[in-house]
Amino acid sequence: MTPSNIHSTKLRNAKRPRKPKEKPALPRMLKTFLWIIVVVGVFLYFFQNPTTGGQKTAPNISPNLTPSPLPKNRIQLTFDGREYIFVYEKISGSTLTLIPNFTEKRSAAAIAEENLCRIASSGGFYTKEDKPLGLFKASGKIFGQKANNSSLLTGFLYVTDSGEIYIDSEADDEHPTILQSGPLFTSNKPYPTRTDEYTRRNLIIEDLNGQEYIATLFGAENMYDGPKLSDLPSILFSIQSPFRVQRALNLDGGSASFFMVANNFTASEIV
């Protein structure tokens, strides 16, 4: 990490946060899922799911509501009278790869197995035309253009040529790996949204020392349940141990999202 990447006031190794700009709301869209998987690499994959409006509760599904056993790296959290489980794993830019799957829409489990993945997570958005919504760049090839007027896609996950991974409100176009998603949270201020639901959430987390994690947050009694998007900042910035959150990038969640730690834990999608 070069000196220009170091926050020199309070945290020796922390990356300097940038305040996201206020932007108008996005039009109605289709959600997708981007899979981050670490083995020899981390893999990001898109999977289609229609967006619907209004507040919802978790679907009433009988099988595998709570996975067993739960992974070692987890925290139990309580917010507004609801219990959640937060599962997290460290990631690094040297082991992260984006794999587009816009039109094939293969299952997450199949792709994870095929790529011998250690960690897999969903997250990301695309249009009705099966094109990524926002900037998507994998191995130097651009699949989607940057969305400049979005109140949702306010953050970027990117990897530099030297293999360093970052999440921020801006990303230079020359980086070989870039994913635009959001919202990006930099404080515990509630996120304003016209529609919201209780559902599973997947995220990229950066702690106060600049270490990145891939994480999922779901209901303690129902793995398809989870917090509202508007409540995510308050929950994430309340974490005190084993790390404290400096910023967090929302990937995507819901009953069709996916998160896996190989040979240990799977929060499967409903398709």
Side-chain angles (χ1 to χ4, degrees), residues 74-77 86 88 238-245:
R74 70 181 189 274
I75 307 169
Q76 186 130 358
L77 302 169
F86 179 79
Y88 61 93
S238 72
I239 296 172
Q240 299 296 313
S241 178
F243 57 81
R244 296 183 63 187
V245 175

Side-chain angles (χ1 to χ4, degrees), residues 70-257:
L70 289 170
K72 175 183 176 181
N73 294 332
R74 70 181 189 274
I75 307 169
Q76 186 130 358
L77 302 169
T78 302
F79 181 80
D80 199 23
R82 300 171 71 95
E83 298 288 332
Y84 300 109
I85 295 173
F86 179 79
V87 173
Y88 61 93
E89 291 286 334
K90 287 184 179 181
I91 56 173
S92 67
S94 62
T95 58
L96 186 149
T97 304
L98 306 188
I99 302 177
N101 189 39
F102 307 116
T103 56
E104 295 85 350
K105 302 180 179 67
R106 299 181 58 210
S107 74
I111 294 180
E113 181 179 1
E114 182 180 287
N115 287 272
L116 303 176
C117 298
R118 187 177 68 83
I119 303 171
S121 172
S122 63
F125 302 87
Y126 68 63
T127 68
K128 294 179 180 179
E129 291 74 33
D130 294 333
K131 296 180 180 179
L133 186 62
L135 182 58
F136 184 99
K137 186 177 182 182
S139 301
K141 182 177 179 180
I142 297 175
F143 293 86
Q145 299 300 319
K146 185 181 294 184
N148 293 313
N149 298 302
S150 171
S151 62
L152 177 65
L153 305 179
T154 57
F156 298 85
L157 164 69
Y158 65 93
V159 180
T160 66
D161 285 318
S162 59
E164 294 176 319
I165 183 172
Y166 295 87
I167 55 173
D168 210 337
S169 60
E170 298 176 8
D172 293 333
D173 293 340
E174 72 268 15
H175 297 308
T177 299
I178 310 173
L179 172 74
Q180 186 175 8
S181 190
L184 175 70
F185 304 120
T186 58
S187 74
N188 63 357
K189 182 180 178 182
Y191 176 74
T193 179
R194 290 191 296 269
T195 61
D196 215 341
E197 60 182 333
Y198 290 104
T199 193
R200 185 166 65 210
R201 306 290 175 180
N202 291 359
L203 309 112
I204 300 288
I205 303 290
E206 181 181 291
D207 70 12
L208 293 181
N209 292 315
Q211 171 65 52
E212 269 73 23
Y213 302 81
I214 181 74
T216 187
L217 181 63
F218 55 89
E221 296 183 357
N222 182 344
M223 64 183 293
Y224 298 102
D225 189 14
K228 293 180 179 179
L229 183 64
S230 56
D231 291 334
L232 261 183
S234 297
I235 296 171
L236 296 173
F237 285 88
S238 72
I239 296 172
Q240 299 296 313
S241 178
F243 57 81
R244 296 183 63 187
V245 175
Q246 177 167 239
R247 69 185 84 184
L249 181 65
N250 182 61
L251 295 178
D252 192 34
S255 60
S257 66

